[in-house]
Amino acid sequence: MLNYSETDVRLEQIKSLLGMLHASGKKFDIPKIKNAFLYYADNTDVTRPLILAGFSQGADLIIRLMKDLFDEPKYQRRLVAAYAIGWKLTEDEIKEYPHLMPAMSETDTGVIVSYNSEDKDVTSSLIVGEDEKTYSINPLNWKTTSEIADKYLN
């Protein structure tokens, strides 16, 4: 007897999709999102600040968009912050894309506020691979440590 919950089925679907995307080697295959951003950024006041925000797969899309476009100063100088919550920002990505800057304090600008929490005993997951080093800052207490934020900060 199979005992699969709806969550189990969705997880298997996501694993399958991520595997196909990874195997395809595509860097940025989401032209609608990229074109929408370019249209907005290029047709608004160039002094108007940019704030990007996404959760989970949306956070992944933000990081992909930044890899593709934010090495250009015309976008970099407008960025207040990119909130990529529920996704990873790895050391390898920072090395390959030096224009991606992880937030280190609450006063940083032009940075990625990345936050993805997992149990301390998890060594590998669907999002973060084994021995993969990631950047994270807790957007409640603005610390890069594993210190737990008090519930009153919510």
Side-chain angles (χ1 to χ4, degrees), residues 12-142:
E12 291 305 314
Q13 290 170 337
I14 290 169
K15 284 180 181 178
S16 175
L17 176 62
L18 288 175
M20 286 186 295
L21 289 174
H22 186 268
S24 73
K26 292 182 180 177
K27 281 193 166 196
F28 196 97
D29 195 25
I30 306 157
K32 286 183 180 180
I33 293 168
K34 184 176 178 180
N35 288 338
F37 172 79
L38 290 170
Y39 180 84
Y40 175 81
D42 294 340
N43 290 285
T44 56
D45 181 351
V46 295
T47 63
R48 191 172 188 166
L50 295 171
I51 298 172
L52 305 176
F55 173 72
S56 193
Q57 293 95 333
D60 178 38
L61 295 176
I62 285 172
I63 293 171
R64 290 180 190 209
L65 183 72
M66 292 184 71
K67 286 176 182 178
D68 263 13
L69 300 175
F70 277 75
D71 57 340
E72 294 186 37
K74 70 180 183 175
Y75 302 126
Q76 266 184 3
R77 69 176 156 258
R78 292 176 63 184
L79 183 65
V80 175
Y83 292 86
I85 308 301
W87 202 257
K88 64 182 178 177
L89 179 62
T90 68
E91 282 184 347
D92 290 342
E93 287 172 310
I94 299 299
K95 288 176 187 168
E96 186 174 350
Y97 302 94
H99 60 279
L100 300 181
M101 295 184 298
M104 295 295 169
S105 78
E106 63 188 289
T107 58
D108 288 347
T109 58
V111 296
I112 300 172
V113 177
S114 175
Y115 185 70
N116 185 43
S117 61
E118 295 191 7
D119 186 271
K120 64 181 177 167
D121 296 325
V122 173
T123 59
S124 180
S125 72
L126 178 65
I127 306 299
V128 181
E130 192 168 351
D131 297 325
E132 195 169 38
K133 304 294 183 204
T134 63
Y135 287 91
S136 185
I137 188 164
N138 188 322
L140 295 178
N141 64 12
W142 295 103

